[in-house]
Amino acid sequence: MIKFVRHIKVGDQEFETWFGMEIKKKGNRPNIDIFYYTDDPSEELSMHQLIKSNFQSKKDALQFGIKFMRSMYQDMIQREKEVAKKEEKAEQSDSTEKVSE
């Protein structure tokens, strides 16, 4: 498996992302799978997860992998914002209850 790192920017944040690419031949055509790693592949506990398979070119596989990870990071940032808002509302309601007692 080919392993490499890419830096993916989402807004003002940058995420270091490790990818893996596995190339197999199916007849005369390449069959390329793209993976992402949970951490640096040299780390003992790092695992790879399949993003998608059956690409015909490395470029297409990499572009899809980057788009997939960017979308995942955007979702993660959005969820963090929503959790922060919920916690803020909970703190405000707690302080309001204390004042009324």
Side-chain angles (χ1 to χ4, degrees):
M1 183 177 309
I2 303 167
K3 301 170 190 168
F4 53 95
V5 67
R6 290 291 185 266
H7 295 271
I8 299 174
K9 272 191 107 166
V10 179
D12 59 346
Q13 297 182 14
E14 186 173 305
F15 297 91
E16 181 181 88
T17 306
W18 282 91
F19 289 99
M21 202 176 284
E22 194 169 71
I23 303 168
K24 300 174 188 170
K25 289 280 185 175
K26 232 183 194 179
N28 289 336
R29 299 171 58 186
N31 184 17
I32 302 169
D33 301 340
I34 186 82
F35 299 85
Y36 74 91
Y37 280 86
T38 56
D39 198 2
D40 185 333
S42 62
E43 296 292 323
E44 184 178 337
L45 298 176
S46 180
M47 295 175 34
H48 64 274
Q49 300 292 321
L50 178 66
I51 296 174
K52 191 174 176 186
S53 59
N54 298 325
F55 287 97
Q56 301 302 308
S57 75
K58 291 179 186 179
K59 182 182 176 183
D60 291 343
L62 180 58
Q63 286 177 340
F64 185 87
I66 289 172
K67 286 180 184 178
F68 176 87
M69 294 305 293
R70 181 173 287 124
S71 174
M72 189 172 84
Y73 291 138
Q74 287 171 336
D75 290 346
M76 180 184 69
I77 290 168
Q78 185 63 35
R79 273 184 267 134
E80 285 178 355
K81 287 179 182 177
E82 290 172 4
V83 167
K85 285 180 184 177
K86 287 180 183 178
E87 288 176 355
E88 188 177 300
K89 286 181 182 179
E91 287 175 6
Q92 287 177 354
S93 66
D94 287 347
S95 64
T96 305
E97 288 176 9
K98 288 178 184 177
V99 170
S100 62
E101 290 176 359

